Amino acid sequence: MSKGPISQFIQKYYLHFNSAALVDAAKGYEKQLEDGAKMMVTLAGAMSTAELGKIFAEMIRRDKVQIISCTGANLEEDIMNLVAHSHYERVPNYRDLTPQEEWDLLERGLNRVTDTCIPEHEAFRRLQKHIYKIWKDADDKGERYFPHEFMYKMLLSGALEEYYEIDLKDSWMYAAAEANLPMVVPGWEDSTMGNIFASYVIKGELKASTMKSGIEYMAFLADWYTKNCEGGIGFFQIGGGIAGDFPICVVPMLYQDMEMHDVPFWSYFCQISDSTTSYGSYSGAVPNEKITWGKLDITTPKFIIESDATIVAPLIFAYLLDY
């Protein structure tokens, strides 16, 4: 398929510095898929609240991503946006808010993420009512699932349909659920739904073991990687933190700890980040540092785009979708 106007625009005008890195990374991603490699996309930050789903969902439907690693916040916030979009409030002057104005938002049940406030009652509590039933049903039956599997069950059950406030095709989680896309959600406990689940455990209403753990996610990822790495697996990292650090470590774990010395390195690496390299920062580390940890090979195509992911990621995805 020929490239559309957005792709043509970036190829014509994005010629140097971070803009050139964006084009190079997009072309490298495309070549990976053309050569038969699979691609992991990792989501850090608040990309779901930034409504990345509008284009990322199509990436999933078009088989441009084969596995996802994301934070617990991104897992739930895409669904929150699906069911409570009209109740969100944007705060363009967020840089100027006083502590009292921040407190006023809290008292209105509005939790701020940079320039966007998530409505607690319509988002958090609406999901809580429905996800608790699914957790409790599994708990009563002695069944155990991963956090994302419970979310898939809730979406596919139709329980939330009455609340939909955006076009369903703009929800990347729904696209992932339909595809039963493999996923890892490291540190899920550090999320609103994770905190809510913990509260039920503390109250004795649910067993902690009903939720599969991060260690089990790593074991799942190790199995998935070894079964899918023959043609290569690329790593496209949006932001930093645990969403990226957790899954990229599966390669050195397999090589060093499992002594599987024929396991291939990640076949492509790209990170979109505005983090600077300082004081041992993982998010700001240049890709070559990952060679020393046994994650990337000397010959692995490596790209780093130092910019805002809400600007860069949609452009790269648009290129891959021939927009």
Side-chain angles (χ1 to χ4, degrees):
M1 182 181 293
S2 60
K3 294 293 183 185
I6 297 174
S7 300
Q8 292 176 32
F9 178 89
I10 67 172
Q11 288 185 94
K12 181 174 181 178
Y13 296 107
Y14 283 28
L15 302 176
H16 298 281
F17 318 132
N18 276 298
S19 68
L22 181 158
V23 177
D24 292 344
K27 290 181 176 179
Y29 191 134
E30 187 172 61
K31 187 175 188 304
Q32 286 284 301
L33 297 181
E34 289 173 350
D35 290 347
K38 298 183 185 301
M39 189 65 71
M40 168 178 273
V41 172
T42 78
L43 299 178
M47 298 308 296
S48 290
T49 293
E51 299 186 68
L52 187 67
K54 285 190 170 187
I55 192 165
F56 190 46
E58 186 64 15
M59 286 282 290
I60 294 169
R61 285 190 291 269
R62 298 261 291 270
D63 197 28
K64 304 291 187 181
V65 50
Q66 285 72 46
I67 186 169
I68 291 171
S69 172
C70 79
T71 59
N74 275 303
L75 186 74
E76 66 198 17
E77 287 177 14
D78 178 80
I79 307 175
M80 291 174 185
N81 181 59
L82 173 64
V83 302
H85 181 77
S86 69
H87 299 277
Y88 279 59
E89 287 193 22
R90 187 160 177 264
V91 187
N93 64 324
Y94 66 92
R95 291 181 176 87
D96 304 322
L97 296 178
T98 65
Q100 181 60 54
E101 287 171 323
E102 302 276 23
W103 182 264
D104 292 343
L105 290 172
L106 169 67
E107 294 208 312
R108 291 176 56 209
L110 294 171
N111 301 134
R112 185 171 67 82
V113 180
T114 310
D115 71 345
T116 303
C117 292
I118 302 175
E120 180 175 342
H121 179 73
E122 292 84 2
F124 302 137
R125 302 309 166 192
R126 186 170 285 175
L127 288 195
Q128 178 179 356
K129 178 172 63 175
H130 293 284
I131 196 68
Y132 173 74
K133 293 176 182 177
I134 296 172
W135 289 339
K136 182 62 175 170
D137 182 61
D139 194 89
D140 290 343
K141 293 177 180 177
E143 297 173 350
R144 306 178 65 243
Y145 298 99
F146 283 120
H148 76 278
E149 291 178 316
F150 279 115
M151 294 295 198
Y152 283 0
K153 286 176 180 290
M154 179 172 61
L155 284 167
L156 297 176
S157 73
L160 301 177
E161 285 183 11
E162 62 180 297
Y163 307 118
Y164 290 169
E165 294 193 350
I166 64 169
D167 193 323
L168 197 55
K169 69 178 178 61
D170 291 339
S171 166
W172 74 262
M173 270 294 291
Y174 191 82
E178 279 198 311
N180 194 26
L181 199 71
M183 192 182 301
V184 294
V185 189
W188 174 76
E189 301 83 358
D190 178 23
S191 67
T192 299
M193 291 300 118
N195 291 170
I196 288 171
F197 183 85
S199 74
Y200 287 121
V201 172
I202 294 166
K203 290 183 287 188
E205 295 181 34
L206 294 172
K207 296 184 289 292
S209 59
T210 297
M211 191 67 62
K212 288 189 176 181
S213 70
I215 296 296
E216 288 169 288
Y217 262 135
M218 181 58 81
F220 162 79
L221 180 57
D223 180 64
W224 185 90
Y225 192 95
T226 55
K227 289 177 177 176
N228 289 274
C229 63
E230 184 175 349
I233 302 174
F235 198 93
F236 187 83
Q237 181 175 339
I238 300 176
I242 195 171
D245 198 17
F246 179 92
I248 204 169
C249 290
V250 73
V251 171
M253 184 200 75
L254 289 168
Y255 187 94
Q256 298 168 16
D257 304 319
M258 296 297 294
E259 299 183 352
M260 297 171 63
H261 294 163
D262 58 343
V263 68
F265 294 101
W266 294 96
S267 61
Y268 162 101
F269 177 81
C270 175
Q271 181 180 7
I272 307 168
S273 176
D274 57 6
S275 177
T276 55
T277 305
S278 63
Y279 305 108
S281 161
Y282 172 76
S283 299
V286 295
N288 279 357
E289 184 177 298
K290 293 170 175 58
I291 295 173
T292 74
W293 288 89
K295 300 168 183 175
L296 305 180
D297 199 355
I298 294 172
T299 58
T300 303
K302 306 172 190 70
F303 308 92
I304 186 161
I305 307 162
E306 295 176 320
S307 186
D308 185 330
T310 63
I311 299 170
V312 172
L315 286 172
I316 291 180
F317 293 163
Y319 182 90
L320 294 165
L321 295 167
D322 300 315
Y323 289 172

